[in-house]
Amino acid sequence: MDMKEALSGGMPRPGETPAACLERVASVSERKTTPCGEGDLVWHVWGAESGADEEKKTPVILMHGNFGSWPHWIRNIPAFAEKYALYVPDLPGFGDSAPPPKPYSMNGIVEAVINGFDALTSPETRLHIAGFSYGSTVSGFTARALGERVLSLCLCGGSRIAGMQDLPRDFRNWRKAESDEERLAAHRHNLGEAMFSGHGAVDDLAVAIQDWIAPRGRIKPREFLRPSDLVPALKEVVAPKLTIWGTRDPYYPFLKSKWQEAIVDANVGLALQEVEGAGHWAIYEYHEEMNKRLLAWFAANDPK
C-alpha cells in the first residue's frame, strides 16, 4: 500500500479499530533515529521520498503537545503529506524518544531537535515549523535558533504564549485505575476536561491515543521552563508567525486578556486566528478547518 492510499479514508476509517488506525498511519512512515541524551530521538517521516520526476517537497516539522507523541497530528498528516515532507519527532522525554541531556533544559531539547533534523536533511534546509500546545513552546525556541532557515512558524494552542494559567479541573487519576475499563474512562474524562470543546466531542481514537502516549511522558516541562520564557524568544523569531486558537480552549480567555499587553504592546509580531467552537486539541477535533488554515499559511510562506 502506498502512502496516499494508506492515509486515505478517514482517521479512523469506518469500522476500523483505533489500534488498526494508528498502525496504518505509522506503517507508511519512515522511522528515523538521531542522537538524544543517552539514547535516540525518534522521528516519523511522511512524504520525504520523491520520485525521479517529482519536485522535492518542502519540509515541515510538526511538534506534539505535553505528555504527547506523533499521533497528536494523526488527522493532519494525510492532508499535509500530499504536498510537504513531514518530520514528526517524539520530542525528548516523550513517546519513544530518550530524555534530553541532564540537567533538562529547553536549550538541550532544541539542540537535539535541530541536530537531528539537520542529520536527516542538511544544515542548509529551509522549513516550516508548527507546534501544538507544549510543542508550540519548543517550536518557538527552535525557530529562534534556526533564524532565516525558517519559512514560517505556527503555534496551535500555545498555552505559554502569554504566560501560563492554572485552571481548576476535575481530573481523574488514570494511574490508579484498577481495570482497563476504568483507565480508559479516566482518559476519556480528562480529554473532555482539558483537550476538547466538551466531553461529548471525545471519540474512541482520541482515547486510544491518550492511553498510548500518556505513560510515555517521562519529563515535566514545568520543572525547567518558566511560563515567561517564550515571549522573548518569539520576539527574536524572524520568520512570519501565527497562532491559532479554539474559542473553547480553556487557556484562551487568559491569552485574550493578556494579548494587548504581552503581544501587541511588546511588538512580538504574532498574528492571531480563532476557530469558533474548537477546544485545545483543535488540530484533532476541528482538523478539517485546521488543515485548511495551516496549508494556506504554509503556502503563503513557501519558497518563491
Side-chain angles (χ1 to χ4, degrees):
M1 187 183 302
D2 66 17
M3 184 188 72
K4 186 173 182 179
E5 180 184 356
L7 297 180
S8 66
M11 297 293 163
R13 290 170 172 168
E16 185 178 46
T17 66
C21 179
L22 285 163
E23 173 58 29
R24 169 168 58 91
V25 178
S27 71
V28 288
S29 71
E30 296 180 89
R31 189 181 189 275
K32 305 283 190 178
T33 60
T34 57
C36 179
E38 297 181 359
D40 292 328
L41 186 68
V42 175
W43 301 75
H44 283 81
V45 183
W46 289 266
E49 294 297 326
S50 299
D53 298 328
E54 292 185 59
E55 186 176 337
K56 190 173 182 180
K57 296 178 180 178
T58 299
V60 178
I61 293 182
L62 302 175
M63 302 201 199
H64 62 74
N66 197 11
F67 286 93
S69 178
W70 70 265
H72 269 167
W73 293 94
I74 193 169
R75 286 185 162 175
N76 318 104
I77 288 165
F80 297 169
E82 288 190 24
K83 185 175 181 182
Y84 295 96
L86 304 183
Y87 291 80
V88 191
D90 285 353
L91 291 171
F94 296 98
D96 289 335
S97 290
K102 291 183 177 179
Y104 298 158
S105 70
M106 185 53 60
N107 285 340
I109 290 168
V110 168
E111 183 176 6
V113 170
I114 291 177
N115 288 345
F117 178 75
D118 287 353
L120 298 177
T121 58
S122 79
E124 294 79 36
T125 301
R126 303 197 70 198
L127 68 153
H128 298 286
I129 303 176
F132 162 57
S133 195
Y134 164 68
S136 287
T137 301
V138 182
S139 295
F141 283 94
T142 302
R144 180 181 67 173
L146 287 172
E148 293 185 357
R149 289 177 58 189
V150 181
L151 297 163
S152 74
L153 171 66
C154 187
L155 314 177
C156 303
S159 50
R160 287 178 173 82
I161 287 174
M164 285 286 286
Q165 181 187 33
D166 287 323
L167 300 173
R169 296 198 186 105
D170 175 28
F171 284 139
R172 297 179 183 172
N173 192 335
W174 55 269
R175 294 180 178 86
K176 294 184 177 180
E178 296 181 357
S179 66
D180 291 344
E181 291 76 12
E182 186 179 339
R183 187 186 70 254
L184 294 174
H187 286 314
R188 185 180 295 274
H189 174 84
N190 294 343
L191 286 167
E193 285 287 305
M195 296 281 273
F196 283 79
S197 59
H199 290 270
V202 182
D203 63 11
D204 291 345
L205 177 59
V207 174
I209 290 171
Q210 188 70 10
D211 190 47
W212 188 83
I213 62 181
R216 289 170 167 80
R218 283 149 289 137
I219 66 171
K220 296 180 180 180
R222 281 175 178 249
E223 295 179 353
F224 59 87
L225 180 64
R226 296 177 303 176
S228 60
D229 287 344
L230 181 57
V231 168
L234 289 176
K235 287 188 70 173
E236 297 179 16
V237 173
V238 297
K241 294 165 284 194
L242 170 67
T243 184
I244 307 177
W245 283 77
T247 58
R248 296 192 65 180
D249 186 324
Y251 293 108
Y252 190 51
F254 178 77
L255 174 76
K256 287 278 281 187
S257 72
K258 300 291 185 180
W259 185 260
Q260 182 67 39
E261 174 187 0
I263 305 301
V264 178
D265 294 347
N267 296 314
V268 176
L270 180 64
L272 171 66
Q273 293 183 11
E274 295 180 344
V275 178
E276 187 64 37
H280 188 55
W281 196 6
I283 56 172
Y284 182 96
E285 183 184 4
Y286 277 56
H287 61 280
E288 292 182 352
E289 179 65 22
M290 291 296 291
N291 290 346
K292 181 174 70 174
R293 295 196 188 200
L294 279 161
L295 284 170
W297 174 249
F298 298 153
N301 295 289
D302 275 342
K304 305 305 180 189

